[in-house]
Amino acid sequence: MCLAVPMEVIETRGSEDDFLDPPVAVVEAQGTRATVRLDIVDRMPGPGDYVIVHAGFAIHTLSKEEAEKSLELFDEMAERA
Amino acid sequence: MIRQNEKDAVKRLSKAIEAAVSGPVRIMEVCGTHTMSIFRHGIRSLLPGKIELVSGPGCPVCVTSQEDIDRMIALSSLKDVTVATFGDLVRVPGSGKSLAQARAEGADVQIVYSPSDALDMALKNRHKKVVFLGVGFETTAPTVAATLLQARAAKTDNFFVYSCHKLMPPALDALFEHTDAKVDGLICPGHVSTIIGASAYEPIVRRFGLPCVVAGFEPLDILTAILLLVRQHSKGEARVENCYERAVSQKGNERARALMYKVFEPKGARWRGLGEIDESGLSIRDEFSNLDAEKRFEIKTCESEEPKGCMCGQIIRAEATPPDCPLFGKRCTPATPVGPCMVSSEGTCSAYFRYGNHA
Ligand code: SF4
């Protein structure tokens, strides 16, 4: 159930404490785009950051450097499959 | 370049593990996603024979009690109710039928990817009562909490949650305190730890002297965790190590936890295989009781009965492996599951079956 691939943040919308219209990010990984909620993420990401997503919610923000290291591995996995 | 680098790293890790292992070591991967990854990447074939990997209680659907499964199915047959759920739950056999069978008989059962999709469904279909089945650990509960806060802000009167959320540390406590589970180290969950933090395992290290290593889901992550566990074991040490720092901090995600406890409070919960465990579940606080399916609906069920002959309980307690079950691969397969461990993609029986260890 855990999606391990960090997704790149393209843009963010909305403000942090608005429960009615919660903050979201448009994210992308391996050519797929999605909109994910930012209500519970540990730190608000900006464009270029990466997030780990669970059930439509970002749960953790990684800097580009942190993410790239793991993305290299994921690309490699994909190639080998 | 990268490919060669990684292959080399796998080789180096395998060699290092071989060199570090002295006697037999039994390692538990707590989380169902690790179980899947270990099978998918053939991790066992990279390890010396002295290392045994066993699965723990970390598949949320598998540890959901038969009573809760039956109550969720009963909810689906109430008038005007739409049940919205993660897909894994739909085919779990209840004492009578499964949600899939209830759907075939006319119940409205919808599969969603996120609890917020269930709320959207309620907002678009105001004549329907949408009940989201909240199954999952510390990773999922905050997503449901955020959805409940949104539902309250939107003043919905047709969205409800049936909460079976469970907490991982109390289950590990109960497992090592009250059962015969004998392991030498734990591969701690990846994304549960993102929320609760690596420090959440300190009490387990102290109480049971068990080495704990937090790991990601890639082969290199898992091999690294095994290496660290074997090294601790060989030296007679026990401490928490974190080899998934890119996603897990010492303290975890405090923002998500704050939201989770704003909406939920800990209460006793019943686990398949582990029984009743104090403070191991999350119930919806009174303040949100108008969104609590448990309080808003009268749920009637017959006496619950776990599937006859199913050994999921023992498997969750690491007392048995799927091939020990006489039904495994015969009457019980992913197409005709008898117990939840064969249904969920994270279930141990399903992983054994899919990756061919049933010879
Ligand atoms: S093989 Fe089927 S019946 Fe046996 S323990 Fe697993 S799920 Fe239960």
Side-chain angles (χ1 to χ4, degrees):
Chain A
M1 202 139 76
C2 295
L3 198 62
V5 190
M7 301 187 84
E8 186 181 358
V9 175
I10 309 296
E11 59 167 329
T12 61
R13 291 196 294 263
S15 75
E16 225 174 292
D17 294 308
D18 187 350
F19 289 123
L20 203 52
D21 191 15
V24 294
V26 177
V27 296
E28 190 178 277
Q30 293 160 355
T32 312
R33 276 200 179 202
T35 302
V36 300
R37 296 263 295 261
L38 298 175
D39 322 31
I40 62 170
V41 72
D42 60 331
R43 115 179 131 71
M44 281 295 170
D49 280 336
Y50 284 73
V51 288
I52 290 173
V53 176
H54 182 81
F57 287 74
I59 59 170
H60 188 79
T61 299
L62 300 78
S63 67
K64 194 170 165 59
E65 298 75 55
E66 287 170 306
E68 250 161 23
K69 211 182 143 256
S70 52
L71 277 178
E72 285 173 4
L73 300 178
F74 293 129
D75 279 347
E76 147 75 10
M77 289 300 129
E79 267 182 8
R80 197 194 294 168
Chain B
M1 242 335 250
I2 299 163
R3 165 175 295 197
Q4 200 49 49
N5 278 349
E6 202 196 338
K7 274 193 191 149
D8 291 350
V10 166
K11 258 195 219 134
R12 276 200 301 277
L13 281 167
S14 295
K15 279 218 182 91
I17 292 170
E18 183 95 53
V21 74
S22 41
V25 191
R26 198 161 191 253
I27 292 172
M28 174 180 280
E29 85 273 358
V30 173
C31 155
T33 310
H34 279 138
T35 304
M36 278 295 296
S37 186
I38 285 167
F39 276 101
R40 184 168 337 119
H41 298 295
I43 299 286
R44 281 186 172 81
S45 69
L46 302 169
L47 300 175
K50 284 176 186 158
I51 298 181
E52 186 190 355
L53 296 178
V54 294
S55 309
C59 156
V61 168
C62 305
V63 298
T64 301
S65 72
Q66 195 68 26
E67 289 81 0
D68 278 326
I69 298 284
D70 287 338
R71 288 166 67 76
M72 295 190 271
I73 295 164
L75 270 167
S76 76
S77 64
L78 296 178
K79 193 169 174 291
D80 294 331
V81 164
T82 296
V83 159
T85 173
F86 296 135
D88 266 16
L89 208 58
V90 175
R91 291 173 61 245
V92 174
S95 303
K97 55 190 165 198
S98 65
L99 278 172
Q101 286 158 329
R103 180 167 58 186
E105 291 167 14
D108 190 5
V109 178
Q110 303 285 341
I111 293 174
V112 291
Y113 162 68
S114 167
S116 70
D117 295 342
L119 176 56
D120 285 345
M121 205 179 280
L123 293 171
K124 287 192 191 116
N125 302 283
R126 299 310 285 247
H127 61 287
K128 279 283 195 180
K129 299 173 185 141
V130 177
V131 180
F132 178 74
L133 305 179
V135 171
F137 297 113
E138 288 92 336
T139 327
T140 310
T143 71
V144 178
T147 305
L148 283 168
L149 286 167
Q150 189 192 7
R152 185 168 73 165
K155 298 195 168 55
T156 50
D157 56 5
N158 66 327
F159 178 75
F160 312 90
V161 169
Y162 184 82
S163 175
C164 289
H165 292 294
K166 292 187 169 57
L167 302 170
M168 191 45 85
L172 292 174
D173 250 9
L175 180 65
F176 298 117
E177 179 81 43
H178 301 299
T179 75
D180 291 330
K182 286 201 177 48
V183 299
D184 302 304
L186 297 181
I187 301 176
C188 297
H191 294 163
V192 164
S193 305
T194 299
I195 307 296
I196 68 179
S199 64
Y201 304 99
E202 298 289 354
I204 289 164
V205 167
R206 277 199 302 274
R207 276 188 74 182
F208 305 106
L210 273 179
C212 286
V213 177
V214 178
F217 301 111
E218 295 310 310
L220 288 176
D221 291 323
I222 296 173
L223 285 170
T224 309
I226 293 170
L227 176 63
L228 297 179
L229 286 168
V230 168
R231 282 189 177 148
Q232 285 196 41
H233 178 70
S234 297
K235 290 188 200 147
E237 296 170 351
R239 61 177 184 279
V240 179
E241 290 181 278
N242 180 4
C243 57
Y244 194 31
E245 278 179 353
R246 61 185 190 271
V248 176
S249 68
Q250 196 58 19
K251 280 186 183 163
N253 181 341
E254 292 172 280
R255 191 158 167 252
R257 286 206 306 275
L259 224 70
M260 175 169 103
Y261 285 115
K262 190 179 169 114
V263 175
F264 295 110
E265 59 191 346
K267 62 145 194 213
R270 177 169 286 276
W271 297 56
R272 188 184 303 261
L274 298 172
E276 189 78 26
I277 306 172
D278 284 350
E279 308 267 296
S280 70
L282 291 171
S283 68
I284 298 172
R285 287 184 188 277
D286 281 344
E287 197 191 324
F288 296 87
S289 62
N290 60 327
L291 300 164
D292 187 346
E294 189 120 43
K295 297 192 177 128
R296 292 296 304 273
F297 296 96
E298 205 183 318
I299 311 172
K300 287 202 194 99
T301 57
C302 301
E303 184 103 0
S304 291
E305 207 189 326
E306 287 188 12
K308 275 204 186 63
C310 173
M311 295 176 66
C312 280
Q314 283 112 298
I315 289 169
I316 288 162
R317 293 194 298 272
E319 291 168 6
T321 58
D324 296 330
C325 173
L327 306 183
F328 177 76
K330 303 198 172 74
R331 198 147 70 73
C332 185
T333 67
T336 56
V338 173
C341 305
M342 188 60 92
V343 179
S344 172
S345 59
E346 297 172 289
T348 310
C349 297
S350 149
Y352 264 75
F353 189 89
R354 280 175 215 278
Y355 294 95
N357 276 35
H358 54 287

